[in-house]
Amino acid sequence: MQQTFAEATWPTAFSSDIVRSAFGGGRLSSYCLALEAWRRGLEVTYTRADLHCFTIADGERRVAFDCSRPDSLTAAEDHARLDSKWESKRILGGRGIPVPRGVLITDTDLTDAQLAAHADAIGVPLVVKPASGSMGYGVSAGIRSVPDFISRYRHLVATYPDQAVIVEQHIEGDDYRVLVVGDRVVAATHRVTAHIVGDSVHTVDELVSRKTADRKANPYLSSGPTPRNDDTAALLDEQGLTWTSVPAAGRTVMLARNASSSLGGDTVDVTDSLPDAMAQAAVDAVAAMPGIHIAGIDFIHDPAGTGGFAILEMNSRPHIPLNMYPTHGTGPDVPRAMIDHFFPDSRRSGRVADDSLTLSLETVQQTLLARRASAVTLMPLPGHGLPARLEWTLPPVATTILRRLTRRKLLWRSAAHGVSGVLRRAKDGQVTVMLAAEDAAACRGFMDELVEIVREPFGLPAGVVLDDPVPWDGPVSVGFAVL
């Protein structure tokens, strides 16, 4: 089963409710991988307070990850070689893998004549970009004149004064991110430049606000709002529009020049329709880089014209949610593919209820931030998977204040019953309790104790009888919390 959102379908095992605590942040990749491993019964240990770095172990093998990158399996120099846009380009070109022709400029203090000579040698249109970096920052593409190239080059050098610069051929086509794990393409995404479509009713500003609201529901795109800046205003002006214009129905209005999803772009899953030649080039590219097990590979592809393609760059630590949470199409289950690769002897349990198991990492993060431990290993998931899941609603109470000692007693008794769950206190005095355990009897046994523990502080009458519980199908994490 999968979660469907608007025109997209996302993996049910990593639905928006399950990964909400990691929404939009750099830790979404690590969260999804750690969750997949933990559900399989593998040992997960966090080693850094930002929760980007963690290890997964099965008793025989231990792999240390930095987000999606298996650091312990690849030497630092191998990662650096892949992440170097120029070095990877040189290696791929030497293997006959298509890359744009270009030049690396390390001494960036060039005259206009020297820059013009580079432009003439490569030929317009051009791309100018920092030699390192990600997410489309600093990239100018589609430069069609030498004066424009010189202007954008000087702006880039002023913005990134310590960076070498790559000037290369601009190849017309669509932007693709292909994810390779081992020797297999596991996902491919077409990145579409940020835009809106008119409806003859709403202004540009209103349509942009609506699109930004839609993006906030996407676990990956929620941190990349639709652009609203001076560059956007200039691009609107080129299209004869302003923020208050009402575009005609069906008219496409461009909002950016770069297809990066972090700059407001959309994402379309094309895993099943990726041309065989591109898939093979992606696999060959990873094989050409020593020691690399996973890479995100950025292609430019011209499906409507020649059908040609070229690799623009590679990333050793790709954001796997980019592929998992498209705005259109079906997002592949990347964590499953990755853990299958690195721990092939592990398997999912096959229990449907496991899809709603999630991780609560606040205490882990607090412990690492306070430097009370250098590493924190998660409690393993009980073998039964907490199949009994029930929710109770208490009668309205006058106060929801609980002393620290009372809260601790609830934690102790929940552990004694083998029960996980949460007690939620709303500002209006409504209290709900969600419990999960091996069977309903364990849930009911702890619930009886819970009512006695909170009776006095909540002002519950003696002999209060609770309504029967209802099934709970929301997220479940191991442990008990009072919220």
Side-chain angles (χ1 to χ4, degrees), residues 323-344:
N323 298 103
M324 295 171 61
Y325 301 106
T327 53
H328 300 77
T330 300
D333 194 334
V334 176
R336 181 174 195 165
M338 287 186 63
I339 301 303
D340 279 347
H341 174 77
F342 291 110
F343 294 90

Side-chain angles (χ1 to χ4, degrees), residues 159-245:
T159 305
Y160 301 91
D162 299 324
Q163 281 261 31
V165 174
I166 293 176
V167 180
E168 65 186 15
Q169 167 195 22
H170 173 88
I171 301 174
E172 298 290 348
D174 297 333
D175 189 313
Y176 284 66
R177 162 60 66 88
V178 178
L179 181 66
V180 174
V181 178
D183 60 358
R184 187 167 69 94
V185 170
V186 300
T189 300
H190 173 202
R191 293 188 284 206
V192 181
T193 304
H195 67 283
I196 52 174
V197 178
D199 60 4
S200 296
V201 176
H202 296 91
T203 66
V204 169
D205 184 69
E206 291 169 338
L207 292 170
V208 168
S209 296
R210 178 186 296 177
K211 188 161 190 174
T212 296
D214 288 343
R215 290 172 71 86
K216 288 182 179 178
N218 184 298
Y220 177 66
L221 299 177
S222 59
S223 62
T226 308
R228 190 190 294 269
N229 51 41
D230 291 343
D231 289 339
T232 313
L235 188 54
L236 289 174
D237 184 63
E238 293 175 19
Q239 299 169 87
L241 300 168
T242 68
W243 290 106
T244 58
S245 300

Side-chain angles (χ1 to χ4, degrees), residues 377-397:
T377 299
L378 302 184
M379 285 289 292
L381 174 67
H384 49 69
L386 303 170
R389 302 173 184 185
L390 300 172
E391 182 183 28
W392 280 265
T393 300
L394 272 62
V397 298

Side-chain angles (χ1 to χ4, degrees), residues 77-100 104 129-133 166 168 281 284-290 292 295-298 311-316:
E77 55 266 28
D78 291 335
H79 284 146
R81 184 185 301 110
L82 182 143
D83 288 333
S84 168
K85 297 178 182 180
W86 183 256
E87 182 65 10
S88 58
K89 177 188 178 81
R90 184 189 65 78
I91 293 172
L92 299 185
R95 295 287 187 94
I97 299 171
V99 294
L104 175 69
K129 61 186 180 182
S132 62
I166 293 176
E168 65 186 15
D284 290 345
V286 171
M289 308 301 293
I292 297 300
I297 304 165
D298 292 336
I311 291 178
L312 302 181
E313 58 188 64
M314 302 175 71
N315 192 311
S316 70

